[in-house]
Amino acid sequence: MKEVKTTCPYCGVGCGVLATTDGKRITAVRGDPEHPANFGRLCTKGSTLHLTTTPYGRVLHPEMRLSRDAPRTRVSWDVALDTLVEKFATTIATHGPDSVGFYISGQLLTEDYYVFNKLVKGLIGTNNIDTNSRLCMSSAVSGYKATLGADAPPACYDDLNHADLVVIAGSNAAWAHPILYRRLEDAKAKNPTLKVVCIDPRRTETARAADLHLPILPGTDVALFNAVLHWLLWEDATDATYISEHTEGFAALKLAVRECAPAWAARICGVNEAQIVEFASWWKSSKATLSLYCQGLNQSSSGTDKNAALINLHLATAQIGKPGAGPFSLTGQPNAMGGREVGGLANLLPGHREVVNAEHRAEVAALWGVPSLPPVPGKSAVEMFDTVRRGDVKLLWIACTNPAQSMPDLRSVADAFSQAECVIVQEAFATTETAKLADILLPASTWGEKHGTVTNSERRITHVNGVLPPPGLARHDWEIVVAFARRLERKLGRDSSQTLFPYASPEEIFNEHIETTRGRDLDITGLSYDVLDASGPQQWPFPAGATMGAARLYSDGIFPTASGKALFRVTPYKPVAEPVDARYPLALTTGRLRDQWHGMSRTGRVPQLYGHEPEPMFTMNSNDLARRGLTVGEVVKVASRRGELLVRLAASDDVRSGQCYVPMHWGRLTLAAAGSHGVNALTIGSFDPISKQPELKHTAIRVERAALPWMMVAFAYVGDIESGRDPVAVCDELREVAQTLSAHCGSMFASTTLIGAERPGVVLRIAAEAAPDAATLMQIDRVLGLIGVSTLAYDDARRNLSRRVRVEDGRLVGARLAGDLAAESWMRDYFLSGASVLELRQRLLAGSAAAPGGFVARGKVVCNCFNVPERDIVEFCASAQGSPTERLSVLQDAKKCGTNCGSCLPELRVLVGASFEVA
Ligand code: SF4
């Protein structure tokens, strides 16, 4: 057994991980106590990473198909690469280099990103390479560049320990960046005068815990920030000296916010004027103000202005360049920062250079040894898929990302996939929607196998080590690119001794990347793998001769602009791209769950991670629900101008009347009905004119009753590594059966999810206009093992009722309820708890809602680490004595909940009525 240092592949906090291996598998993970991002902590997602490294669901061999209708067949790497080279050479010769496009990922390592970018811009000669970071961070990039002059978050995690006021805008950090949030909790515990303001349309866990929550209407952030600046000006609370010595453009901004009084903003934002003034007055009195912000500002058709309006506040009050202060964008993906450093976007070049800058192009061309680089920016994410749809980009190469689920307006994206002459997908997981659409599928390595570097939200670069070799014929992403590039060079007649891709290791790529940063704002010429290994993860800049990186930027008040001064940006408030109206009267916003990450290709393989949010749900305000006569749990039809979604309904007053919420994770893998595209069937492709980041956070929708009276739920334990049955593959089988149903049953909802912990199970839920035939139900039973002597059966054809219950060793191991789900809740609890059902045998088939005596539903699992359900916590709190903080402490002693990763602490505090202080 040995432990290997690596990092978590999920969010941009960039936690260090120690992975234990026996040489065959990764058997455990723990937080790296020496890593400065997390000091040994991991959240629920990070602490279950080893459970995602099963041998299942991987792409193990290159595969190709000869025509769209043909199935893919296994081919050798030589055949796959030669075919690709032939296609690219022919297409480029016939239609020019802009006829090919690459769509890559913020989950790639910096070295992977670097060679992709060099291949596309340096060898092929197009800038048509963009990345899923466009959906995540590009407004943060353009906001920084428009004001501070460079794409460089100026603050660091340690600033939480020095702040007086922390403003969390458009971020549910408690769930999306949990370990950073743990650090905020620590800071608050040490300094109870630290104030936290949360700006978010929803009352999230982060909002609940804040000292002030401003539930502004979606898309109105600029109006709020402009009003705060207006009030600070009125109160003479701006820093005139800092403004005059270190900034430009304040006069124009001052003029622009003259009419933006808090009363004006209150009408636009839908919050009280007094709340806005309170926020502004806290800003005024704070000695150090730190803003943490994420997709609520970025995923917007005015994302650049939202970012800039907040940065304007920091500049106007000199809240930047000192401990505890600064505008700090939280990175959504693990290496979005590294991708930006190497220029892995359609408008960028390595070392934070710009495609449109002739000097920058010449510098990079000289470094790469190519005559020139293409001068016109390539297609950004939404534009790229539009261009494929129009037939202008003919070959589309996708790596390590799942645009068939994550892009907005998925019907258009589906059209693009069908129009492309060839879709190449370089991917580790065979189960993603995009992998299924590939004409050529290339097996890639993934977390636990890859070597290279990543950069987290605070500009900190970590050396990532592989733990095990990739399985099958999978190769590292950089190796695939280099192998293809060398073959393409030969095809294009380049002298192979002069290859642009001479690398034998990621370290050689990293060393070349370092050179591209020399003299730039992100200069890392003092770094190497050896330095990172000896001194640990380091922040940039780290120029030659430095002994440590810069914790925070702009302490000297000098900015990387032409004048050395920061630039105020005039940010007029603009409404969302698609306001609600009479036909689409509700505002839909998307967000993240605590225990899932993005498209769930990795987290979706871990049954435990479904415990907190077991199935896809769509949340409406309770009043809106009642007004429409809808009930919790029923299936509704949600429609936007682009598509529809059938999904089950939840009610919560955490969303305001007129608003709805759905987690962004639910794609076609979980919302499994035929024709379903998942959540992004609804969202809009409109994007910010500068950052080109789409407005995934706001969609105008309507919600109607779906009228699907026939319902079925089935759940069963289905296998594990030892039994050789992959639960995700079982979900695939169930999905196929469910999709055949729609031919017989009309309109239909179906979802497939995992359940359980050590023993994995699956859940299939269906609602349809009519009951299917018995043969189809039998197919479902077969897949779930609900047949044979251990299975009890009840059928009432006249009333369309049918039930199956499988009992093994006195325990419920599977059930199917069709036509009437009244008994679901308590049967599911028996299934999960493993309690004996020997006394209940007859009642198991009765289907009665009346549960066995004294039954109280477990509710969701609040603490995943110790499998503590909501019911146990509520029961405990009912009898616990003392203050809320004491009750929390006693609860933790008794149940252990919240004592490991801490991801559930915000929720535990709500349940015991405790305040923000950490237990
Ligand atoms: Fe991974 Fe959680 Fe750390 Fe993010 S906060 S990097 S998801 S362990």
Side-chain angles (χ1 to χ4, degrees):
M1 301 294 263
K2 66 169 180 175
E3 266 191 339
V4 179
K5 270 180 187 278
T6 181
T7 56
C8 173
Y10 297 127
C11 82
V13 177
C15 297
V17 172
L18 294 174
T20 303
T21 178
D22 57 6
K24 293 193 186 107
R25 286 174 52 192
I26 297 175
T27 53
V29 291
R30 67 184 175 106
D32 181 351
E34 292 174 357
H35 198 288
N38 56 320
F39 298 108
R41 287 168 160 167
L42 293 176
C43 73
T44 39
K45 297 179 282 273
S47 58
T48 50
L49 266 169
H50 58 299
L51 302 175
T52 68
T53 59
T54 65
Y56 299 124
R58 294 292 300 271
V59 185
L60 296 174
H61 312 273
E63 293 176 11
M64 269 175 45
R65 63 174 148 224
L66 296 176
S67 72
R68 271 289 151 86
D69 303 329
R72 282 192 309 255
T73 54
R74 189 184 293 185
V75 294
S76 68
W77 270 109
D78 278 340
V79 169
L81 291 170
D82 285 342
T83 307
L84 279 171
V85 165
E86 204 55 49
K87 278 184 187 294
F88 272 76
T90 309
T91 304
I92 292 165
T94 313
H95 303 285
D98 289 342
S99 62
V100 303
F102 290 73
Y103 186 67
I104 62 174
S105 166
Q107 289 149 66
L108 290 171
L109 304 187
T110 301
E111 292 76 0
D112 302 323
Y113 244 122
Y114 185 88
V115 289
F116 256 121
N117 204 37
K118 189 174 182 182
L119 163 71
V120 178
K121 292 171 183 166
L123 179 61
I124 294 176
T126 176
N127 289 312
N128 277 348
I129 175 165
D130 217 49
T131 144
N132 57 16
S133 299
R134 182 73 66 181
L135 311 183
C136 172
M137 294 309 300
S138 56
S139 295
V141 175
S142 54
Y144 278 138
K145 281 160 69 170
T147 52
L148 308 183
D151 170 21
C156 61
Y157 298 160
D158 180 56
D159 280 321
L160 289 166
N161 296 319
H162 305 282
D164 272 347
L165 172 64
V166 174
V167 178
I168 305 177
S171 157
N172 182 12
W175 283 12
H177 295 94
I179 296 304
L180 186 67
Y181 193 78
R182 297 285 84 74
R183 292 180 69 157
L184 173 61
E185 289 170 334
D186 291 348
K188 180 90 172 164
K190 280 191 212 126
N191 172 21
T193 63
L194 166 63
K195 287 197 165 64
V196 178
V197 175
C198 178
I199 301 161
D200 195 312
R202 285 191 298 132
R203 187 170 51 186
T204 61
E205 296 301 322
T206 309
R208 282 178 200 279
D211 299 289
L212 175 64
H213 173 211
L214 290 166
I216 60 169
L217 296 173
T220 61
D221 312 67
V222 168
L224 174 70
F225 299 144
N226 284 353
V228 172
L229 182 58
H230 173 105
W231 187 89
L232 291 170
L233 281 163
W234 183 260
E235 292 284 310
D236 200 18
T238 55
D239 188 323
T241 309
Y242 190 88
I243 291 169
S244 99
E245 290 180 3
H246 301 296
T247 70
E248 287 176 1
F250 192 61
L253 177 61
K254 198 171 165 182
L255 199 63
V257 300
R258 200 170 55 180
E259 306 300 323
C260 303
W264 164 83
R267 285 193 296 278
I268 290 174
C269 299
V271 294
N272 295 333
E273 180 185 354
Q275 289 177 299
I276 297 176
V277 171
E278 188 171 25
F279 170 35
S281 66
W282 287 5
W283 192 297
K284 176 187 171 186
S285 58
S286 164
K287 290 192 178 56
T289 299
L290 183 70
S291 303
L292 308 174
Y293 50 95
C294 202
Q295 307 309 352
L297 300 198
N298 295 342
Q299 290 180 331
S300 163
S301 57
S302 55
T304 304
D305 281 349
K306 284 184 177 180
N307 275 263
L310 181 55
I311 296 170
N312 284 343
L313 288 176
H314 281 274
L315 290 171
T317 52
Q319 294 290 1
I320 188 167
K322 62 184 184 182
F328 192 179
S329 75
L330 302 180
T331 315
Q333 300 203 75
N335 198 33
M337 288 280 287
R340 284 139 67 181
E341 289 157 19
V342 302
L345 284 161
N347 54 319
L348 297 181
L349 291 172
H352 283 178
R353 293 177 176 87
E354 303 284 335
V355 161
V356 292
N357 184 316
E359 210 175 304
H360 288 178
R361 290 199 305 277
E363 286 166 1
V364 175
L367 282 164
W368 282 351
V370 297
S372 63
L373 293 175
V376 180
K379 300 298 178 195
S380 67
V382 173
E383 296 169 319
M384 176 91 77
F385 284 91
D386 277 350
T387 312
V388 174
R389 191 158 47 91
R390 288 201 306 271
D392 295 336
V393 163
K394 297 171 190 309
L395 308 182
L396 180 62
W397 188 319
I398 297 163
C400 194
T401 183
N402 188 12
Q405 176 172 343
S406 57
M407 286 291 293
D409 189 6
L410 278 182
R411 271 199 198 159
S412 296
V413 172
D415 285 348
F417 275 103
S418 60
Q419 285 301 317
E421 284 181 13
C422 181
V423 175
I424 303 104
V425 179
Q426 180 170 324
E427 174 59 64
F429 293 102
T431 43
T432 75
E433 281 311 302
T434 306
K436 288 178 183 165
L437 296 171
D439 298 304
I440 300 180
L441 184 60
L442 305 175
S445 60
T446 185
W447 179 84
E449 298 152 10
K450 292 167 76 82
H451 308 260
T453 53
V454 291
T455 309
N456 73 3
S457 294
E458 61 166 358
R459 295 171 278 107
R460 191 178 294 280
I461 299 173
T462 302
H463 185 197
V464 175
N465 292 296
V467 184
L468 295 170
L473 297 184
R475 292 183 179 179
H476 297 306
D477 289 287
W478 71 267
E479 286 180 319
I480 298 171
V481 175
V482 167
F484 169 77
R486 287 186 190 158
R487 284 172 198 239
L488 187 61
E489 282 179 317
R490 282 200 293 277
K491 180 79 183 173
L492 298 177
R494 276 187 75 96
D495 177 356
S496 58
S497 67
Q498 302 290 314
T499 176
L500 301 177
F501 301 87
Y503 322 108
S505 69
E507 186 171 12
E508 291 179 16
I509 302 169
F510 185 73
N511 291 341
E512 186 175 308
H513 158 52
I514 285 171
E515 275 310 306
T516 70
T517 69
R518 189 175 292 281
R520 305 288 303 163
D521 68 300
L522 73 166
D523 191 330
I524 52 167
T525 47
L527 282 185
S528 65
Y529 277 13
D530 286 346
V531 170
L532 291 170
D533 290 341
S535 310
Q538 297 295 328
Q539 288 174 278
W540 58 252
F542 195 116
T547 52
M548 63 183 297
R552 47 189 72 81
L553 306 178
Y554 316 133
S555 304
D556 54 4
I558 298 172
F559 293 86
T561 58
S563 63
K565 293 184 172 186
L567 311 170
F568 282 107
R569 178 178 169 84
V570 173
T571 52
Y573 163 69
K574 295 183 208 84
V576 290
E578 186 184 65
V580 296
D581 59 18
R583 289 189 66 209
Y584 297 94
L586 296 165
L588 173 67
T589 188
T590 57
R592 281 153 178 74
L593 293 175
R594 192 190 74 182
D595 295 348
Q596 297 291 353
W597 200 74
H598 287 196
M600 298 169 61
S601 48
R602 184 182 292 280
T603 52
R605 307 193 67 80
V606 182
Q608 289 93 322
L609 294 181
Y610 291 81
H612 190 246
E613 190 78 20
E615 293 179 37
M617 299 298 281
F618 177 91
T619 304
M620 287 179 84
N621 179 275
S622 343
N623 291 331
D624 289 345
L625 205 94
R627 252 196 300 278
R628 287 166 172 76
L630 300 170
T631 51
V632 169
E634 81 168 283
V635 176
V636 288
K637 183 164 88 176
V638 184
S640 77
R641 287 186 172 82
R642 290 153 296 283
E644 289 180 0
L645 181 70
L646 289 168
V647 64
R648 289 174 76 216
L649 202 50
S652 169
D653 294 337
D654 293 342
V655 294
R656 296 173 64 171
S657 183
Q659 295 175 22
C660 305
Y661 165 71
V662 69
M664 49 88 82
H665 312 287
W666 307 125
R668 212 179 321 193
L669 291 181
T670 43
L671 289 167
S676 163
H677 285 288
V679 166
N680 281 317
L682 303 169
T683 50
I684 188 167
S686 298
F687 52 72
D688 177 274
I690 298 170
S691 71
K692 311 227 170 151
Q693 180 159 356
E695 189 151 72
L696 283 156
K697 280 286 179 184
H698 179 271
T699 307
I701 55 159
R702 65 168 176 259
V703 176
E704 295 161 1
R705 166 163 287 126
L708 304 176
W710 184 81
M711 293 177 296
M712 188 215 80
V713 67
F715 44 88
Y717 292 116
V718 291
D720 49 27
I721 293 175
E722 279 66 37
S723 72
R725 204 161 176 225
D726 175 14
V728 175
V730 175
C731 286
D732 264 339
E733 284 180 60
L734 290 172
R735 206 166 15 253
E736 274 170 32
V737 178
Q739 293 185 355
T740 62
L741 280 179
S742 53
H744 311 288
C745 308
S747 183
M748 199 187 84
F749 159 87
S751 68
T752 48
T753 45
L754 302 192
I755 189 171
E758 281 79 31
R759 195 172 178 195
V762 301
V763 182
L764 170 68
R765 184 181 298 279
I766 293 175
E769 282 180 69
D773 57 4
T776 310
L777 288 178
M778 177 75 90
Q779 269 182 286
I780 293 169
D781 293 343
R782 255 193 228 111
V783 174
L784 292 178
L786 296 171
I787 49 176
V789 287
S790 302
T791 301
L792 310 175
Y794 167 84
D795 292 292
D796 180 343
R798 193 176 52 81
R799 294 196 295 153
N800 266 334
L801 297 178
S802 166
R803 299 181 192 119
R804 296 290 180 274
V805 173
R806 184 171 179 87
V807 176
E808 286 175 2
D809 299 328
R811 288 171 172 74
L812 184 63
V813 295
R816 170 173 64 70
L817 306 174
D820 178 2
L821 312 191
E824 178 189 351
S825 176
W826 63 265
M827 285 182 68
R828 209 167 154 131
D829 274 12
Y830 271 94
F831 172 78
L832 279 169
S833 69
S836 170
V837 292
L838 288 175
E839 303 295 316
L840 302 173
R841 288 186 83 115
Q842 290 315 311
R843 297 182 67 176
L844 286 173
L845 277 184
S848 161
F855 170 82
V856 180
R858 273 166 61 92
K860 64 182 173 185
V861 176
V862 175
C863 174
N864 254 333
C865 300
F866 296 101
N867 193 19
V868 185
E870 194 172 26
R871 174 192 61 197
D872 292 7
I873 297 165
V874 170
E875 275 175 4
F876 185 89
C877 291
S879 59
Q881 305 289 317
S883 69
T885 307
E886 287 164 345
R887 289 206 298 272
L888 180 57
S889 174
V890 177
L891 171 69
Q892 291 190 291
D893 283 347
K895 303 278 179 193
K896 301 282 173 251
C897 45
T899 59
N900 185 34
C901 77
S903 295
C904 62
L905 272 171
E907 213 164 339
L908 292 178
R909 285 197 202 91
V910 172
L911 289 169
V912 301
S915 61
F916 200 105
E917 293 89 42
V918 81

